[in-house]
Amino acid sequence: MTSGVPQSLCERRPHVPADRLVQEMQPPPRFDAVRFDTYVPDPGQPSQAAAVAALGSFAAGLGGAHPSGSGRRRWFAKKPAAPAGPRGVYLDGGYGVGKTHLLASLWHATPADPSLKAFGTFVELTNLVGALGFQETVRTLSGHRLLCIDEFELDDPGDTVLVSSLLKKLAEAGVALAATSNTLPGKLGEGRFAAADFLREIQGLSAHFLPLRIDGEDYRHRGLPEAPAPYSDEVVTKTAYATDGASLDSFPGLLEHLARIHPSGYGALTEGLSMVCLTGVGPVPDQSTALRLVVLADRLYDREVPVLASGLPFDRLFSEEMLNGGYRKKYFRAISRLTALARDARELPGQ
């Protein structure tokens, strides 16, 4: 890349083949180095330390031969006997309590070759089914030791049934399961967690899952200020030109571009960037656009790409109607993550 000339996300049109979707089902770069001993439990929330201990025991129990009797189960092989104890764990807690950190730590701690462990978000898993087809996805994942699903989406009935059916097939093949989820509409902020909803929605699988409740506040905001004030267009543009590997786009233009790319390609869209610079950040116009922005925010956060922006602060992206609606958990997560990335940008040299 040429020094001093920012890239443009709007000029990128990534295509991600299906086999790459499978290969990339590993914890994202932000979570490459996380382990159980790098999770710092809040002393005021004993459920956090208890969850770490329970997950460590669960990982240790996944050693030994695959329940099918081989590294990868043959399609017509005899169904293995159900192992003793739960074959799944569900991390039950609000956003920002470290569920993804713990889920990735479980992936790393499970004694199996990385090719026999899969980690992805609910959206990435549904994208995989869309790319491979249901039966081929079952065949591809059946020989795995562990499947971790982050942010299991309980607010989309169709996809919930699809993934529930997939998990049932994988559980029958002896694959251990681990998941986190969002809350159903109307539950956020009411002091209720999602375990009962999750166990009801994964039809016929609830007996396989051990719920682990993780209480606490959003660690990204413990003792920290609200979303930092945006910069001017001039500062954002000047920084983009002065930073190797930065991108520069107008926020409205980026939102339009996201509509032309499948969300499965948003990770590839951000590859190789050292910083994302956005001018003219303003209110997101509609829910479809907002949900695409949520996925982009997740991919940027996973890859630890700082975001420098002008316009409105990120805690004013979504309307009151959106923040009070069925997808509000997603929007609060996006605000939390974009705010963290905005703080990262402020800590860079020259800011």
Side-chain angles (χ1 to χ4, degrees):
M1 60 187 69
T2 304
S3 176
V5 179
Q7 304 173 66
S8 170
L9 293 174
C10 293
E11 293 178 359
R12 292 183 167 194
R13 294 179 179 274
H15 170 70
V16 184
D19 58 348
R20 179 175 165 185
L21 292 177
V22 177
Q23 295 168 6
E24 291 184 346
M25 290 192 73
Q26 298 187 12
R30 175 176 286 271
F31 300 99
D32 278 346
V34 302
R35 299 295 186 273
F36 290 133
D37 59 6
T38 66
Y39 181 82
V40 182
D42 184 341
Q45 304 290 350
S47 63
Q48 295 185 5
V52 173
L55 288 169
S57 297
F58 183 77
L62 297 180
H66 188 279
S68 67
S70 64
R72 290 196 178 272
R73 184 171 181 257
R74 296 185 300 276
W75 182 245
F76 294 106
K78 182 180 179 181
K79 186 194 308 183
R87 290 293 294 173
V89 288
Y90 169 70
L91 308 186
D92 177 22
Y95 67 94
V97 297
K99 297 192 304 296
T100 302
H101 183 135
L102 291 174
L103 193 67
S105 298
L106 172 63
W107 188 93
H108 288 298
T110 296
D113 185 274
S115 67
L116 297 178
K117 300 184 286 187
F119 182 107
T121 65
F122 182 91
V123 170
E124 289 169 328
L125 190 59
T126 57
N127 288 339
L128 182 65
V129 175
L132 298 181
F134 183 84
Q135 296 295 351
E136 181 64 15
T137 302
V138 172
R139 189 197 67 78
T140 299
L141 297 179
S142 284
H144 280 56
R145 183 67 52 80
L146 173 70
L147 171 62
C148 296
I149 307 171
D150 200 19
E151 294 293 342
F152 195 105
E153 299 193 356
L154 298 169
D155 44 25
D156 188 322
D159 283 345
T160 299
V161 170
L162 173 69
V163 176
S164 176
S165 300
L166 175 63
L167 296 187
K168 186 174 185 296
K169 292 287 187 181
L170 296 180
E172 290 173 350
V175 181
L177 307 171
T180 73
S181 80
N182 60 15
T183 54
L184 284 171
K187 299 293 177 68
L188 187 65
E190 296 174 6
R192 299 178 63 179
F193 289 77
D197 300 319
F198 173 80
L199 295 174
R200 182 184 64 249
E201 294 298 328
I202 53 170
Q203 301 166 12
L205 280 172
S206 61
H208 291 279
F209 278 84
L210 171 69
L212 297 175
R213 179 162 173 162
I214 306 171
D215 300 286
E217 62 180 295
D218 185 347
Y219 76 92
R220 290 180 288 267
H221 295 273
R222 290 177 192 166
L224 295 174
E226 295 302 315
Y231 290 90
S232 66
D233 285 354
E234 180 181 4
V235 168
V236 171
T237 300
K238 182 178 178 180
T239 301
Y241 275 88
T243 305
D244 286 342
S247 66
L248 176 63
D249 294 274
S250 75
F251 186 69
L254 177 61
L255 294 183
E256 292 181 4
H257 185 59
L258 293 179
R260 296 188 284 269
I261 300 174
H262 192 276
S264 64
Y266 288 6
L269 183 70
T270 65
E271 280 185 352
L273 295 179
S274 63
M275 176 188 287
V276 166
C277 297
L278 299 171
T279 58
V281 170
V284 179
D286 57 76
Q287 187 154 269
S288 294
T289 303
L291 292 173
R292 288 191 287 267
L293 180 61
V294 167
V295 177
L296 178 65
D298 286 343
R299 301 292 81 77
L300 290 171
Y301 183 77
D302 289 344
R303 288 158 177 76
E304 300 182 282
V305 181
V307 179
L308 195 73
S310 67
L312 288 180
F314 289 128
D315 56 8
R316 294 171 59 188
L317 281 174
F318 306 108
S319 68
E320 286 299 317
E321 181 180 2
M322 291 178 184
L323 294 179
N324 289 316
Y327 295 109
R328 57 187 179 179
K329 173 68 180 294
K330 295 175 189 260
Y331 301 145
F332 278 107
R333 185 179 80 239
I335 291 170
S336 175
R337 292 185 166 184
L338 288 171
T339 295
L341 296 176
R343 292 195 187 107
D344 290 347
R346 283 188 175 273
E347 294 172 1
L348 293 175
Q351 300 310 311

